[in-house]
Amino acid sequence: MPIQIGRRNFLKTQVTLATAAFCPAAFAQTKIPLLYCESASNEDIRAKVMMDRFAPAIAGEFDLKPYFNSTLFKQGTELLAMQRGNLDMSALSIPDFQRQIPAWGIVGNAYVFRDKDHMFKVWNSDVGKQLFKMAEDIGIKILSVHYIGTRHVSLRIKKKINTPADMAGIRLRMPAGEGWQFLGECLGANPTPVAFSEVYAALQTGAIDAQDNPMPLTKTMKFYEVLSQYVLTGHLINCNLFSIAKKKWDSLTPAQQTKLQAASTDYSATVSTQFAAEESELAAFFKSQGLDVYTPDLAAFQKFALEKTKKSKYMKDWTPGMIEKIEAL
Ligand code: KDO
């Protein structure tokens, strides 16, 4: 049975074909621009995997415009830029969300995740669903989560650190943001905000005594050149939330959403694997560079952080029953 098309449709088809003949662009799908910015440097695993894997995977539908090293928006301002429609995507931190959603403080708290596997169990559970919904309610669609290492205290000065009492008065750089600064207080230190891209200079000039980046970032940014010791506090299993402005997401077709989601899931899985692999070799590398690398009294650090949190104003913001669900996973 030949397909019956009416006279009007027939004419429309002829006109369309004629148009396409004279300007192929009318048929060539115009690529959707995706403006991306984050504070990772160009040498970072995340930048390399983005350019080598993620960008090519979405190149058919999207025109990715990536900015690393916070070259478009200062670290900590990306979420607001996304809400205002000035930025499409970023790799956000938990304290970025906590600024507008106090309940997110629960997952940015010291020692809340036992390890990388526990962290992913939480994000893939009902707890993760609840937190992702809170993010959508402020206009941010979280596409995927990647592990960027476990945070430990590393110091320029040689003072031996065994318990939080030894951290008293230590000027510990933490990223800007209330959640990050409180995390520094939970380590017994005197936290001070410095942008990621300024940490090397702050260590070199003695403006700060310590910082707490995961080992892969300390390597990539060469912070170890101005550090003397790594104290394996393991106080935070660090992740980025790979996100898109919800308005942008909602403007995509279902096919474009499926494509972007699949590429994001693949991207975060690849990044997490590479960070974990690199991290496993770095204690030996830092020792080879002359740093002292040792484990402090972890029980003392965990006890101190829990007491600090209980006495703080933050626990009242936590969703009732959520910490029990997290601990049970
Ligand atoms: C940092 O500023 O110490 C930090 O490591 C915090 C992380 O959550 C993440 O924002 C990271 O910077 C950036 O992705 C740069 O690596």
Side-chain angles (χ1 to χ4, degrees):
M1 174 74 163
I3 298 168
Q4 301 293 333
I5 56 169
R7 176 174 156 66
R8 194 149 52 86
N9 274 350
F10 178 75
L11 275 176
K12 202 161 74 174
T13 310
Q14 297 311 308
V15 167
T16 308
L17 287 176
T19 311
F22 290 104
C23 50
F27 256 50
Q29 175 86 345
T30 40
K31 293 193 178 184
I32 295 166
L34 281 180
L35 192 58
Y36 182 88
C37 180
E38 72 157 287
S39 30
S41 70
N42 293 296
E43 295 73 45
D44 193 288
I45 286 172
R46 288 162 290 177
K48 289 177 180 164
V49 176
M50 179 158 284
M51 301 323 290
D52 299 348
R53 199 180 169 96
F54 179 73
I58 61 171
E61 294 84 359
F62 299 94
D63 176 19
L64 181 70
K65 300 175 188 304
Y67 288 82
F68 297 104
N69 250 342
S70 303
T71 42
L72 199 62
F73 290 97
K74 254 168 32 91
Q75 183 181 32
T77 67
E78 301 92 345
L79 195 156
L80 209 54
M82 289 165 73
Q83 289 172 318
R84 291 175 173 163
N86 300 328
L87 180 64
D88 295 322
M89 291 184 72
S90 184
L92 300 170
S93 290
I94 287 167
D96 290 335
F97 287 97
Q98 186 184 352
R99 274 195 184 92
Q100 297 185 29
I101 316 171
W104 266 65
I106 194 169
V107 281
N109 204 53
Y111 299 110
V112 70
F113 297 135
R114 292 190 296 273
D115 52 32
K116 174 168 64 75
D117 294 341
H118 180 228
M119 177 187 72
F120 281 120
K121 273 188 192 150
V122 172
W123 289 124
N124 294 326
S125 73
D126 170 57
V127 168
K129 272 195 198 72
Q130 288 180 64
L131 294 168
F132 280 27
K133 173 74 175 64
M134 292 178 204
E136 289 199 14
D137 291 346
I138 63 163
I140 303 295
K141 162 77 177 169
I142 298 171
L143 293 164
S144 52
V145 182
H146 38 267
Y147 173 72
I148 61 170
T150 296
R151 297 184 85 92
H152 305 291
V153 173
S154 47
L155 297 97
R156 178 179 56 81
I157 58 175
K158 295 196 182 313
K159 178 184 180 185
K160 191 97 175 120
I161 304 293
N162 194 36
T163 67
D166 300 325
M167 292 290 288
I170 295 280
R171 293 168 302 159
L172 170 64
R173 174 270 173 183
M174 296 300 289
E178 200 176 343
W180 283 118
Q181 296 301 303
F182 179 64
L183 184 61
E185 288 174 32
C186 286
L187 292 164
N190 181 3
T192 179
V194 176
F196 182 72
S197 50
E198 309 300 322
V199 170
Y200 189 102
L203 286 165
Q204 199 173 34
T205 58
I208 54 174
D209 304 317
Q211 64 102 31
D212 80 318
N213 263 285
M215 290 187 168
L217 299 182
T218 296
K219 172 94 173 347
T220 303
M221 301 298 280
K222 301 194 185 324
F223 298 151
Y224 63 88
E225 291 174 350
V226 283
L227 289 168
S228 70
Q229 57 173 327
Y230 235 113
V231 186
L232 303 179
T233 48
H235 55 277
L236 189 86
I237 308 296
N238 203 173
C239 66
N240 279 165
L241 301 126
F242 194 59
S243 306
I244 185 170
K246 186 146 183 344
K247 274 206 188 92
K248 184 78 177 187
W249 174 257
D250 292 342
S251 74
L252 303 179
T253 64
Q256 290 161 347
Q257 289 181 344
T258 301
K259 183 82 177 181
L260 185 58
Q261 181 60 70
S264 302
T265 302
D266 173 75
Y267 171 70
S268 286
T270 306
V271 165
S272 300
T273 302
Q274 291 192 15
F275 264 98
E278 184 176 303
E279 186 171 48
S280 66
E281 295 151 13
L282 287 178
F285 171 74
F286 292 137
K287 284 178 184 160
S288 76
Q289 297 299 308
L291 276 75
D292 200 4
V293 182
Y294 59 92
T295 304
D297 178 346
L298 287 178
F301 272 94
Q302 287 158 356
K303 183 166 176 285
F304 181 89
L306 184 60
E307 278 161 14
K308 196 87 181 162
T309 305
K310 280 182 176 163
K311 278 187 280 188
S312 75
K313 61 177 181 175
Y314 298 109
M315 239 173 174
K316 70 172 174 13
D317 300 327
W318 295 3
T319 305
M322 190 175 272
I323 194 67
E324 289 78 9
K325 283 184 187 171
I326 289 173
E327 285 166 353
L329 284 169

